[in-house]
Amino acid sequence: MEVEEVVCLPRLSRVAVCGGTHGNELSGVYLVRELLKAKKGKEDAMSVQMVLSNPRAMQQCRRYLDTDLNRCFTHAVLNGPISDAAPYEMIRSRELNAMLGPKGSPQAVNLVCDLHNTTANMGLCLIAYSDSDWICLHIFRHLQRQMPDIPVRYIHFDVSHRESYSLDSVGKHGFAMEIGPQPHGVVRSNIYTAMKVGVQHVLDWVRFFNSGTIFEGGYVDVFTMVRHIDYPRDRETHHITAAIHPQLQDRDFCLLHPEDPLFQTFSGDTLRYKGTEPLYPFFINECAYYEKGIALSLARKRCVMIPPIRAQTEQEEQANRESFGSEEEEEEEE
Amino acid sequence: MEKVSFPPLSRVAICGGTHGNEMSGVYMVRELQRKKEDKALSFTVTPVLSNPPAVDACRRYIDTDLNRCFTYAALSAPIAASTPHELRRAQELNSLLGPKGSQEAVDVICDIHNTTSNMGLCLLLFSDWISLHICKYLQSKITSVPVRVILLQASMPEAYSLDSVGKHGFSIEVGPQPNGVVRADIFNTVKEALDLTFHWLQKFNSGVTFEGGEVDVYTLMKSVDYPRDPATNEITAAVHPQLQDNDFKLLQAGDPTFLSFTGETVKHEGEELFPFFVNECAYYEKKIAFHLARKATLTIPPISVKKE
């Protein structure tokens, strides 16, 4: 039997845990506040930065003041021209980029863990742009094994680095940790505890990784977003004319088949899923997505093989830095 | 008890969006506005969207809580340019559906609300035989969710909610539903409650005598705030998992009420009472984690419509 080659990746020396990116998603707000209170000094192999991303939105217990902060991390917004009259969140995203990035540069933090809540019944989800970022996928598998009491899933948005728009894309690696169901503006004890335990396991994994542990390879299930479905709407007023059907409500990640009920109109009629492919629904009835035109999202599930990984030793990191330098020269010549 | 009679109830207002992010009422009112008037009914139904700017912004209110603006004092206060939107709007609603306390007021106001608390269907009302009979009727017919009555104790001048503007009135409060979200099951419960209310009104106006009897009611005794950091005033604990979602389950001394963010448990002390509005989103700013109630039994007389 072939022994799989262990993938060696740079140590994760700088980690950022962010809460309050949406000011009314309270588990992350209170968890980061607690972690800031309990802050210890820099550890040997890893420094952890706790960040409250959108303090002004938090003050008003709103998702955002002017515009959704978690859509303000594209290269265009971060590096383009900006006026004094720019929306608050665009100014703030550039501050966060200076603090934790710059995005795409060697100075960026190694890992961003951005904390979110959803009104959808999604359990704990890690949401990331890649289905081949071995750091994120190994952290995911670790959480699944350490947290058997809550469903833990991995959602992949197939968006290129160039077009990635969320805070977690600022770090060299990153993901959003999304936990629900919890109403916005409310903190539920069980959801808070799940997030606290989840973050603890993420940081523990990073410590193990940095200390040289070899993590064995294996297989994980990944849900890749395929498309969104909007609510039926009145043509003139644009108001929604139906709610998520009772048989779909709270059934995130239960396979949706063609002809399954999707919506119930306010006059009592059932509207059915007209797609031809059975898909996995998630973000079912997320409060913040009404204004984005999303009643639910749909994903395909596949099994992804993850290789064994370990952290590079100091010598390996040094050798890599030198060869990275020469690669840069080659790129400039092209 | 001797039978009590009332004039026919011919003008009914259904209000939604009194809090702009409590969505069942918003969509119920829109649905009633869309449907053609039912000429077979012995009463008119006026659907009212109470706070349109708050509905548009999907917020509870713009300047101040509209459902605290219906005291006689607030309704008669002079309006200036600086008057908060909701105080102004309350006076408009009072002209439309009232004036409160006068003969011109609509006969029944039914105001639709949602809560993030696990309260099933609750009817909030002042002690009024019409409203209490409607509640008794709903309790006897609805089996899908628990139906409970919360008795508010305030004099007419001090009663601050929209439903106090009509000659009779009550609020329909259904949860749990997150603010800004419409759940089909919750909407269906509201619809069922309204349909049954209309059935009752139709029967009442047609001359049916409704038997007297007993109604269990909950009366507010006190409210409990979250533990807070004295320096920042931020909450330091969440409602305990054993209390969360257990509205109306008797809370006894020693039962856990809060679990702090650092893992400590706070326990209930004193009289055993029934918690409700447990972890209601809008009450964080009102410094209320939950209310506590006593349970009592009210005797209501038989009622019928006054024959001409």
Side-chain angles (χ1 to χ4, degrees), chain A residues 218-283:
Chain A
Y219 292 89
V220 290
D221 281 335
V222 165
F223 291 91
T224 298
M225 201 280 290
V226 170
R227 63 175 207 268
H228 308 301
I229 299 184
D230 191 9
Y231 291 96
R233 290 175 187 274
D234 179 291
R235 225 169 294 157
E236 284 166 29
T237 63
H238 207 60
H239 293 147
I240 71 173
T241 54
I244 293 285
H245 196 277
Q247 282 175 43
L248 175 58
Q249 178 69 53
D250 301 334
R251 286 189 165 78
D252 299 71
F253 300 105
C254 297
L255 192 60
L256 184 72
H257 301 92
E259 294 306 311
D260 279 351
L262 211 51
F263 298 110
Q264 185 177 83
T265 68
F266 295 123
S267 46
D269 301 314
T270 295
L271 304 174
R272 296 178 181 275
Y273 172 52
K274 293 300 178 191
T276 49
E277 183 188 354
L279 291 170
Y280 292 89
F282 65 101
F283 276 129

Side-chain angles (χ1 to χ4, degrees), chain A residues 30 33-34 62 183-189 192 196 239-240 244 246 249-250 264 266-267 285 287 290, chain B residues 27 30-31 34 59 178-184 187-188 234-235 239 241 244-245 259 261-262 279 281 284:
Chain A
Y30 286 108
R33 281 198 180 131
E34 281 305 309
R62 292 168 65 174
H184 298 320
V186 160
V187 61
R188 287 181 65 99
S189 189
Y192 173 86
K196 181 170 168 179
H239 293 147
I240 71 173
I244 293 285
Q249 178 69 53
D250 301 334
Q264 185 177 83
F266 295 123
S267 46
N285 208 351
C287 172
Y290 283 54
Chain B
Y27 288 106
R30 284 188 181 147
E31 183 62 13
R34 194 187 64 83
R59 293 170 61 175
N179 296 149
V181 159
V182 59
R183 285 182 65 103
F187 181 84
N188 292 342
E234 292 295 343
I235 70 174
V239 169
Q244 180 67 53
D245 300 334
L259 182 61
F261 297 131
T262 45
N279 206 353
C281 175
Y284 282 54

Side-chain angles (χ1 to χ4, degrees), chain B residues 176-243:
Chain B
Q177 180 172 270
N179 296 149
V181 159
V182 59
R183 285 182 65 103
D185 55 356
I186 300 286
F187 181 84
N188 292 342
T189 297
V190 170
K191 181 153 199 315
E192 193 182 1
L194 276 189
D195 285 345
L196 288 166
T197 299
F198 290 171
H199 290 167
W200 187 94
L201 289 166
Q202 191 75 346
K203 282 164 84 143
F204 175 84
N205 287 338
S206 75
V208 167
T209 297
F210 290 93
E211 283 176 20
E214 290 187 339
V215 182
D216 282 341
V217 300
Y218 292 88
T219 52
L220 174 66
M221 296 307 299
K222 63 187 212 239
S223 309
V224 177
D225 189 13
Y226 291 94
R228 288 176 190 272
D229 180 320
T232 61
N233 216 33
E234 292 295 343
I235 70 174
T236 55
V239 169
H240 196 279
Q242 281 177 47
L243 173 56

